[in-house]
Amino acid sequence: MVKNAFKTVLFSFFILLNLACSVSPTYSRKDIESAIKNLCKQEFNIEVKVWEVGDTIWVYSPFTKMVTDKGEFDTEVSDKIQNIFLSLRRVILSMDKRPEFYCFVASDITSGFDLYYVWNIRDLVMIETGFISRGDFQERGAFIHALSTQAIGDTQGDHISRYNITIGEFISYLVKQNIEKAFSSEATKGNFQINDLHAKYSNGRLEISFDIIVKKYEEGLPSPYDEAVKSLKKFLKIYDYPPEVTEVVVTDSFNKKSRFYTIRALREEN
């Protein structure tokens, strides 16, 4: 239910990206927190919390009830989220020294769940200048939803763990999301069952592990292991094989297969 409503708001945001907006004054990086808060308040009467942590901008917005009984986003909530995104876009695109990432968190403080939207700001600039498509931009955004009892009643964002997101962690989100999409889409969900899927980054190492079983065999089905490696190569290449990512481990629990790669080996493998 939440997932479907989440996709609706996401689609609305992609439409929003194509809307023309007035030219904003140039903002200074040192004023980014107040700039985003003031724009949301002055133009849309929306209160948000903003924190700059290293090279990541965190924006928090609590809502009393985000999803209707039919599993759809509340219209007012959807409008507010779009306006928050518009404010983020306007400030970031007219800033002198842009951060690397932004993370917007919307929380239902009655039911207790969080929605995280994480993007690399370079991709925001690229879609605005026509270097990537809306489809490219969509798959380069990490969208995470999670139940959270700590969100209940939290109007200040105290339950949100705020830190500087790294490129390795960001890539791990995208790889996991891409694998999940590959094996739970309408075209494949009847053939596969995802029992477990994890991706994490720590100290230069990307680790992808999964337990994906074949429920119904058909000729030409994708291999979970091959798709994982393909996803890794894809996103590492998009982000220029960041030097802080030095090694990768891929583990397929169902097929009892695990392999260690150096980034050089992964880059050179056909």
Side-chain angles (χ1 to χ4, degrees):
M1 182 186 296
V2 173
K3 202 169 190 178
N4 291 335
F6 174 71
K7 289 179 180 178
T8 301
V9 172
L10 182 60
F11 177 74
S12 298
F13 175 52
F14 294 140
I15 294 175
L16 179 66
L17 279 173
N18 283 341
L19 299 179
C21 65
S22 59
V23 177
S24 302
T26 300
Y27 295 98
S28 172
R29 173 70 177 269
K30 66 182 178 63
D31 299 322
I32 189 170
E33 293 184 15
S34 59
I36 294 171
K37 286 191 288 188
N38 291 342
L39 190 59
C40 286
K41 179 63 177 177
Q42 292 169 6
E43 296 210 9
F44 304 111
N45 196 30
I46 301 172
E47 299 277 358
V48 296
K49 302 298 180 183
V50 184
W51 304 271
E52 180 180 14
V53 184
D55 228 12
T56 304
I57 297 302
W58 290 80
V59 178
Y60 178 73
S61 184
F63 297 96
T64 302
K65 186 176 181 180
M66 297 174 64
V67 181
T68 69
D69 294 337
K70 295 181 179 180
E72 300 173 350
F73 254 82
D74 179 87
T75 303
E76 184 178 351
V77 172
S78 178
D79 290 343
K80 285 185 176 181
I81 288 178
Q82 289 183 40
N83 287 332
I84 292 169
F85 275 131
L86 179 58
S87 299
L88 282 169
R89 171 177 172 248
R90 288 176 59 181
V91 171
I92 289 171
L93 290 176
S94 57
M95 182 167 293
D96 55 355
K97 296 178 181 179
R98 300 184 184 106
E100 186 174 8
F101 294 103
Y102 64 90
C103 182
F104 171 67
V105 186
S107 292
D108 186 314
I109 62 174
T110 301
S111 300
F113 66 84
D114 300 318
L115 299 179
Y116 290 77
Y117 303 64
V118 189
W119 270 286
N120 185 299
I121 287 173
R122 184 187 76 167
D123 293 325
L124 178 62
V125 174
M126 291 178 73
I127 190 173
E128 287 292 327
T129 52
F131 282 96
I132 61 174
S133 67
R134 282 191 296 165
D136 291 334
F137 185 73
Q138 180 177 1
E139 71 174 4
R140 296 184 192 190
F143 318 116
I144 304 163
H145 60 94
L147 296 176
S148 174
T149 56
Q150 292 180 319
I152 297 174
D154 184 5
T155 60
Q156 304 301 307
D158 294 332
H159 76 286
I160 301 298
S161 177
R162 304 181 295 271
Y163 57 94
N164 186 39
I165 296 172
T166 65
I167 188 66
E169 179 183 358
F170 181 64
I171 290 173
S172 76
Y173 295 156
L174 299 184
V175 171
K176 178 183 177 183
Q177 184 172 267
N178 203 55
I179 296 171
E180 183 176 26
K181 179 182 178 181
F183 294 100
S184 60
S185 68
E186 287 299 320
T188 61
K189 68 180 182 181
N191 299 97
F192 294 95
Q193 178 177 309
I194 301 176
N195 291 328
D196 192 35
L197 174 58
H198 293 285
K200 67 178 182 178
Y201 171 79
S202 180
N203 299 319
R205 173 180 284 205
L206 261 172
E207 296 185 38
I208 311 298
S209 60
F210 48 88
D211 179 4
I212 301 175
I213 66 172
V214 178
K215 295 194 300 181
K216 179 183 177 183
Y217 180 79
E218 293 179 12
E219 190 72 27
L221 285 178
S223 156
Y225 186 88
D226 291 344
E227 283 295 317
V229 174
K230 180 180 176 181
S231 294
L232 280 162
K233 290 180 178 179
K234 175 179 181 177
F235 290 110
L236 286 168
K237 182 178 181 181
I238 285 173
Y239 297 104
D240 305 317
Y241 287 91
E244 54 264 53
V245 181
T246 58
E247 56 191 38
V248 171
V249 176
V250 181
T251 302
D252 180 345
S253 299
F254 179 72
N255 290 300
K256 296 180 173 56
K257 181 178 181 179
S258 184
R259 185 172 175 183
F260 168 88
Y261 298 86
T262 63
I263 291 301
R264 180 178 178 180
L266 196 63
R267 188 172 189 170
E268 294 176 351
E269 184 181 85
N270 294 324

